[in-house]
Each structure stands twice: as C-alpha cells, then as structure tokens.
Amino acid sequence: MRLQGVQCLDCRAKFLPARTVCLSCKSRSLEKVFFNATGTVISWTQVAQPPSGFPPGQSFYLALVQLDEGPKVLAQLADQLESPIKEMRVKVVIRRLTHGELEQPILYGFKFQEIL
Amino acid sequence: MRNVYVHGTGTVPVGEHWESSLLDLATKAALIALDSSESFEVGACVVGNMLSGIINHQENLGAIVADALGLEQVEAVKIEAACASGTAALRAGYLRVASGLVDNVLVVGAEKMSDIPAPSVIKTLSTAAPFHAEVIHGASFVSLNAILTQMYLRHYNLSQDCLGIFARQAHKNGTRSPHAMFQKEITVDQYKSSPIVCPPVRLLDCPPTCDGAAAIVLSSNKPKSTPIKLAAVEGANDWVALADRENPLQFRAAQSSARKAFKAAKLTQKDIDLFELHDAFPVLAALALESLEMAPPGNAWKEAEKGTFSLNGKLPIQTMGGLKSRGHPVGATGVYQAVEAVLQLRGEAGAAQVKEPKVALTQTFAGLAASVYSAIFQKEA
C-alpha cells in the first residue's frame, strides 16, 4: 500500500495531499511520488460525535501521523478499539470515509491501522 | 496615509437571539454606532461575517445591511476570513480611510449561528479547515484543537487540566461585562468535572454557539472628545493544514501580524496595556501569549494562575469575557474585540475597567491561526 503525493524537484520537500506550489522553496516543479505508507502517531484525539456525513454513533480516533517517508498526515485510525499510544506504528489501509448524505457521493480514502 | 479615528461603537449582547434575525442584529449594532458618531454619513458599509450563506441563506451582506440602514450610494461589501472576519473587516475599513479614499466607514461584524442546530453549526465551521487534508477525514475544530492541545501538554509535560485557567478567567471577567453571553463563574471543580468532548478538551473549554453583532465607525476626522486612534491593523497567514506546519506549536501568523502592527503603529510590545486575544480554546490563548513572548514557552498557564493576565495584572486579557465567556459569534468576534478595546481606552468599561490603559492590542485567528489579524488602538493625548 502506498500513498500518492508530490515531491519538489528543486528542494526535495514532500507534500500530501498534492499541491501546485512547493511550500519550502515556492518552486512549481512538483512531481507525483508514492510514499511508503507507514508512519508513527504524533498526536491524536477521540471523536465521540462524528460530524454529519460520517457513520452516526460510531466514535473514531483522529490522528496526526508522521509518515516514515516524509510529510505529516491527518487521518482516522481504523479498527482502533483502545486508546492509541504516542509513537504507535501504523500503516495505511483503504476505507470508506463518509456515510453518504442525500445528494452527496460516498467518499472513499485511507485510514491508518496499527502495525501489530 | 492619514490617521484613522474611532467614532461611534455599538454592540448587541451576545446570546441566543431567537426573536431576531441576522439582519436585525447587524442593524441594531450599526445604528447604535452611527447614532453615537459625529455624523451618520459614511462612504462604505463593510460587513464581517463567515456563515451567512450556509446558515442564514443570505450573502451580499454589505448591500443587505446598507439597505437596512437606509444608506445610499455607499460601497457595500462582505469580508470573510473565517473566525477572523471581524478584524479582516476592520482592516478593510482602515485601508479605505487611511488611504485617503473614503472619509468615514461603517464596519459591522455579525453572526447568527443559532438558526440551525448546534451539531450542524460545527460542520459549517469546518468550512474554514482544508477539505481534502482535514474535513474528509472527519476533523472539526474541536478535534483539531484537541490534537493540538495534546501536543502542547505532552511537549511541555503538563497535566491535562492546567490550561483550564484561561476558561475560568474568561468567565470571571465575563461576570462584569454587560454584553457577555455567560455572566457566571466556573469553579475549578466544575471545570474538572465537565465532560471530555474530544480528549483532552472538555465541554467547558469550548466556545458557545451564539449570535451577536458589533459595529464601529472609522473616520479621518479627529473626534472632539477622547480621540482613540486605530493605529494599525495588519494580517498574516500560515499553512492551513495542521499537518503542513513544521512546528504546530508555533503560530507564525500570530507573530508576524502582531510584528507588522507594532511596526505600523510605531509602538512596541512594552506599550500594550491590554490584549484581547483569540481564546476560542485554552490552548489558543496560551499559544497567542507565547507567540508574542508574553509568557515563556509552556508557561502561559502558570503566569495566568499567578494573575499576570487578570484585570489588575501586568497584562490583562479577556477583559470583557473573551471568546469563551463574552462569546464567539464567529464573524462578529473581531469587532467585539475592537469595541471592547475602545471602551477600555475611553474609560467606559464599567466594572470591567482596566486601570487607565492607553494602548490596546486585539488579535483574531481564522481556524488554527491560518490567517491572523492584529489591531492596535491608541488613546491620543
């Protein structure tokens, strides 16, 4: 499993999601790259009342993760039953993100799962 | 560049205004400001607001409010910068007057959040966060502030509840503030037993969903009594997504906008007698203070416990309740901060009066300080 982002051809800075202008050196030369989708949890919280559009009544953990190969990413933790621990090792998995509200498409994306 | 002076100001009490519409609130505050100005004539009507389109089914607020006030042939525009909309509107007014292009400007901040249920309000506020980086992952400002608070507490090795002093101090000051939504103190026990919403953030850390409007008239004419100058209002940005910040505990936009404001006003931090900061969550108050080195990193809570930031402390903050107790009707907040600064400088703050202030700093954040506006008000001799 890999995550696609961009890398600056001039200063090698990495970004996810993809962007047009490098935040470090302002270059426009950004190419698509894949990051190995493993990382470490830096911080997290628990959301007991999901915003509308997310499965109601299903509490989830939201975490800020430092990918091994570069940028930090914010995403949910999948299948996380207990409180996460700082510096917990995680890997990316594909999951459905939203519940599907009226007139809205169902969004699929990624979450992070503890590497056991 | 001309000097910009404050003429009339006006507020409605922050609260849940079931009987009034967004326009009713804006009109009320604006009329108080215009009626207390030397002249009702303005050349522009600038309205700061964030959510009128999503919540109140109304855009084009500049024209809508000008219409309600019977203003004719004036510039009319809505200014939006999420929770900093009010101070961004102040900047828009300031530029028109300072440049010499418009003599008198009415700036109104207004927000009516209670027209939809509270859980829906939280979702609308998320429009200030980056959609793909944060919102589709289920983030909202409560959870984002929770993640930031956890980082802060861990980094400085602090116990969960020590930032609570900012919520408690806000409420203590709010009891003396006639337009504050909450005029009730919170005890340490009440704070510690309030439910955890998103760990470690407690219910009593969160600002209320509320309605309000505040207005201020800016003019190139020096008023006859107690001239208060809007000496500067400056803005700066930072990367919006928390994940894009190299050091999430450093609010570069807060530092930068304040620095620019001090430079424009030809003043330094030592000159500030009070600071209306953006205390939407306690961690934001701590970071606002530490960003300007008003407390050592990780120690803002300790200074607050000592009374450094109380009404009669070295640097009063939240003087009329702050965002937590006066309330945070998002787009209006910046103008409430401005009006409170002016009341303090004029000696009209009643029971909330700070002793003889001459210079006040106000600062408002969009989201997690992604766009920050800082304003300096100065009493002229």
Side-chain angles (χ1 to χ4, degrees):
Chain A
M1 187 64 55
R2 299 178 304 170
L3 279 177
Q4 185 181 73
V6 291
Q7 181 163 36
C8 178
L9 289 170
D10 291 316
C11 75
R12 316 307 296 160
K14 295 167 178 164
F15 302 99
L16 197 152
R19 52 187 310 121
T20 312
V21 177
C22 175
L23 289 181
S24 289
C25 74
K26 316 297 149 69
S27 164
R28 308 285 175 88
S29 308
L30 295 159
E31 63 170 357
K32 286 186 186 166
V33 289
F34 285 99
F35 306 123
N36 249 345
T38 53
T40 312
V41 171
I42 304 175
S43 186
W44 54 270
T45 191
Q46 183 178 23
V47 179
Q49 289 179 309
S52 65
F54 293 88
Q58 281 182 40
S59 125
F60 60 86
Y61 289 97
L62 191 65
L64 190 62
V65 173
Q66 174 72 62
L67 290 182
D68 294 334
E69 284 196 347
K72 295 194 282 285
V73 178
L74 186 86
Q76 291 187 31
L77 295 180
D79 312 319
Q80 187 69 30
L81 298 173
E82 293 165 347
S83 191
I85 311 164
K86 189 173 181 204
E87 279 158 43
M88 190 171 93
R89 295 285 302 158
V90 291
K91 65 178 200 277
V92 158
V93 292
I94 296 178
R95 288 290 187 274
R96 189 179 72 176
L97 294 180
T98 62
H99 188 57
E101 294 172 283
L102 201 63
E103 294 174 3
Q104 300 291 329
I106 300 172
L107 288 180
Y108 287 82
F110 62 89
K111 298 187 185 182
F112 287 105
Q113 188 182 59
E114 186 178 6
I115 299 173
L116 293 164
Chain B
M1 297 288 270
R2 306 190 284 188
N3 279 339
V4 179
Y5 293 99
V6 176
H7 280 218
T9 66
T11 59
V12 300
V14 181
E16 292 175 328
H17 290 277
W18 306 114
E19 321 263 310
S20 303
S21 68
L22 172 64
L23 186 58
D24 290 335
L25 299 176
T27 305
K28 201 164 182 187
L31 286 174
I32 298 171
L34 288 167
D35 288 342
S36 57
S37 295
E38 285 173 4
S39 166
F40 201 95
E41 296 297 312
V42 293
C45 174
V46 177
V47 180
N49 167 280
M50 181 189 170
L51 302 166
S52 67
I54 315 175
I55 294 184
N56 318 107
H57 311 294
Q58 188 70 74
E59 289 289 5
N60 200 19
L61 280 186
I64 295 285
V65 172
D67 174 299
L69 297 170
L71 298 173
E72 288 184 85
Q73 313 286 337
V74 309
E75 261 196 83
V77 64
K78 168 176 155 172
I79 298 286
E80 184 273 318
C83 325
S85 296
T87 319
L90 198 70
R91 168 79 175 171
Y94 171 87
L95 289 172
R96 283 164 167 79
V97 179
S99 63
L101 294 173
V102 186
D103 291 338
N104 304 294
V105 176
L106 168 68
V107 176
V108 185
E111 200 76 66
K112 187 154 201 289
M113 302 166 83
S114 65
D115 278 357
I116 60 176
S120 306
V121 176
I122 294 180
K123 187 134 196 250
T124 66
L125 288 167
S126 299
T127 54
F131 186 71
H132 287 106
E134 294 181 348
V135 180
I136 60 166
H137 293 288
S140 74
F141 280 104
V142 186
S143 53
L144 290 168
N145 273 283
I147 288 177
L148 191 62
T149 305
Q150 196 205 85
M151 283 187 80
Y152 182 93
L153 295 174
R154 261 193 218 286
H155 184 78
Y156 294 112
N157 209 14
L158 300 172
S159 69
Q160 164 157 329
D161 290 325
C162 55
L163 291 173
I165 178 64
F166 292 108
R168 294 195 299 274
Q169 185 179 270
H171 276 252
K172 187 160 186 216
N173 293 349
T175 60
R176 299 161 176 241
S177 173
H179 64 256
M181 177 166 176
F182 297 125
Q183 297 184 13
K184 200 174 153 182
E185 290 199 39
I186 307 174
T187 65
V188 173
D189 285 337
Q190 283 170 328
Y191 176 80
K192 288 190 172 177
S193 58
S194 71
I196 299 270
V197 177
C198 286
V201 169
R202 292 189 180 278
L203 182 64
L204 288 179
D205 287 324
C206 300
T209 298
C210 54
D211 313 322
I216 191 167
V217 174
L218 301 177
S219 176
S220 55
N221 298 314
K222 187 166 171 169
K224 298 176 187 79
S225 60
T226 333
I228 307 291
K229 210 169 63 167
L230 173 51
V233 50
E234 295 280 341
N237 81 310
D238 198 352
W239 312 140
V240 192
L242 196 58
D244 283 338
R245 307 256 180 105
E246 208 178 289
N247 178 4
L249 296 178
Q250 186 189 11
F251 278 179
R252 299 187 307 164
Q255 288 171 330
S256 183
S257 74
R259 206 173 289 143
K260 287 191 207 179
F262 287 123
K263 188 167 181 208
K266 297 193 178 64
L267 290 169
T268 70
Q269 222 152 284
K270 293 191 183 67
D271 300 313
I272 302 301
D273 297 313
L274 68 102
F275 182 17
E276 289 304 337
L277 46 66
H278 195 93
D279 60 320
F281 288 85
V283 71
L284 298 179
L287 288 171
L289 290 163
E290 292 170 14
S291 291
L292 301 187
E293 294 173 16
M294 290 163 171
N299 277 299
W301 72 276
K302 227 188 242 176
E303 290 294 327
E305 290 281 7
K306 279 199 291 194
T308 305
F309 307 119
S310 65
L311 276 184
N312 48 20
K314 221 171 69 172
L315 180 65
I317 64 173
Q318 308 164 309
T319 70
M320 297 188 85
L323 273 63
K324 178 66 189 75
S325 170
R326 168 245 292 135
H328 183 33
V330 295
T333 291
V335 188
Y336 274 101
Q337 290 174 318
V339 173
E340 288 165 2
V342 170
L343 289 173
Q344 289 286 2
L345 295 176
R346 284 184 174 153
E348 293 173 5
Q353 186 64 53
V354 163
K355 191 153 187 250
E356 289 163 11
K358 293 193 182 55
V359 183
L361 173 67
T362 73
Q363 189 178 69
T364 333
F365 295 169
L368 297 177
S371 169
V372 178
Y373 276 93
S374 302
I376 298 177
F377 293 85
Q378 184 176 22
K379 184 174 174 181
E380 269 199 355

